[in-house]
Amino acid sequence: MNWVATTAALNLAKNLRDLGLKDETVLQAVANTPRELFLDAALEHKAYENTALPIGMGQTISQPYIVARMTELLLEHCPAKVLEIGTGSGYQSAILAQLVPELCTVERIKGLQIQARQRLKRLDLHNVSFKYGDGWKGWLNKGPFDAIIVTAAASTVPEALLTQLADNGVLIIPVGEASQQLLKVVRQGEKFSSKVVEIVRFVPLVNGELA
Ligand code: SAH
């Protein structure tokens, strides 16, 4: 990363610590990541508020709290190779790329994917592979993954993601429609155990045609 933490970014990290986030490596990544780079100029002044914001095409950049929370859950498993479904603005990808050796990320809206790729390059984050595709299918030839994070709400847990999870791997995924549960699913051999982490609100993981 070629960015120096600003006071605003440090304050955001402090707010997240006050909200109960504990992993200092995640908070450091939040402090080091210029969130305004992931937003339109008109919304830059809100970049360090702990809220989700629109990024165009009906999509949103996730709330920093939930980005940090999901990252913290995933890091508990010390993953080497991570798959993210829903690249969106690339903000969650930028946080992850600072904390794991290898990140693969899938997005179904081409325009968002192109912008995200440029932003990560600008931040000198080069350990990320981008795919334009349907996240319900995962990324078969890059797997298996030690961790998978889905940043859009699925109606059910996608079967392909379970099969692309390595043994002892973890899947962090919001499931549901109006009310969504953030699930943590852990694979042990052919068995999967699932735990509800908290109630969340994400845009839907879309079924079907690519945009
Ligand atoms: N992680 C993103 C969150 C973006 S919102 C960020 O930090 O900005 C969720 C994203 O999931 C949107 O960009 C949306 O286009 C994408 N998405 C929705 N359904 C998808 C699907 N089936 N496959 C891949 N991406 C999908």
Side-chain angles (χ1 to χ4, degrees):
M1 280 279 292
N2 53 4
W3 213 269
V4 179
T6 58
T7 310
L10 285 164
N11 281 340
L12 174 59
K14 180 182 176 304
N15 289 345
L16 300 184
R17 191 180 293 112
D18 292 345
L19 289 171
L21 288 157
K22 294 197 171 56
D23 188 328
E24 287 297 325
T25 65
V26 177
L27 295 171
Q28 191 61 52
V30 169
N32 284 341
T33 306
R35 192 164 178 259
E36 70 274 16
L37 204 73
F38 297 82
L39 291 164
D40 281 348
L43 286 172
E44 274 181 16
H45 64 290
K46 294 190 178 211
Y48 297 97
E49 292 177 11
N50 184 22
T51 52
L53 292 165
I55 54 170
M57 312 286 291
Q59 306 305 322
T60 54
I61 182 172
S62 306
Q63 182 193 14
Y65 168 81
I66 203 71
V67 170
R69 182 82 179 102
M70 289 170 84
T71 307
E72 193 170 271
L73 288 166
L74 179 148
L75 290 185
E76 284 171 10
H77 290 251
C78 303
K81 199 200 272 189
V82 176
L83 173 67
E84 176 192 24
I85 304 297
T87 316
S89 69
Y91 179 71
Q92 170 80 73
S93 323
I95 298 286
L96 282 169
Q98 294 169 68
L99 297 165
V100 302
E102 185 182 355
L103 176 67
C104 302
T105 183
V106 180
E107 171 58 54
R108 69 178 285 279
I109 299 177
K110 190 77 187 170
L112 292 178
Q113 192 218 2
I114 291 170
Q115 277 183 320
R117 190 196 285 269
Q118 288 166 348
R119 289 168 177 148
L120 269 72
K121 192 171 168 203
R122 189 163 160 208
L123 292 174
D124 260 337
L125 295 168
H126 300 292
N127 54 341
V128 184
S129 314
F130 295 83
K131 180 182 167 85
Y132 168 58
D134 178 10
W136 281 92
K137 301 192 178 108
W139 193 340
L140 189 58
N141 48 19
K142 286 273 189 183
F145 301 95
D146 306 307
I148 302 179
I149 178 173
V150 182
T151 67
S155 47
T156 57
V157 177
E159 194 63 36
L161 300 187
L162 294 176
T163 54
Q164 289 170 35
L165 208 53
D167 200 13
N168 296 313
V170 61
L171 166 65
I172 314 282
I173 181 168
V175 175
E177 277 154 26
S179 168
Q180 304 160 7
Q181 296 181 323
L182 184 65
L183 300 185
K184 175 177 168 171
V185 183
V186 178
R187 177 173 199 165
Q188 272 159 331
E190 289 315 304
K191 282 178 59 186
F192 297 88
S193 58
S194 172
K195 184 177 117 186
V196 178
V197 180
E198 55 189 273
I199 302 301
V200 289
R201 192 162 183 89
F202 279 86
V203 295
L205 186 70
V206 177
N207 263 314
E209 292 284 291
L210 292 178

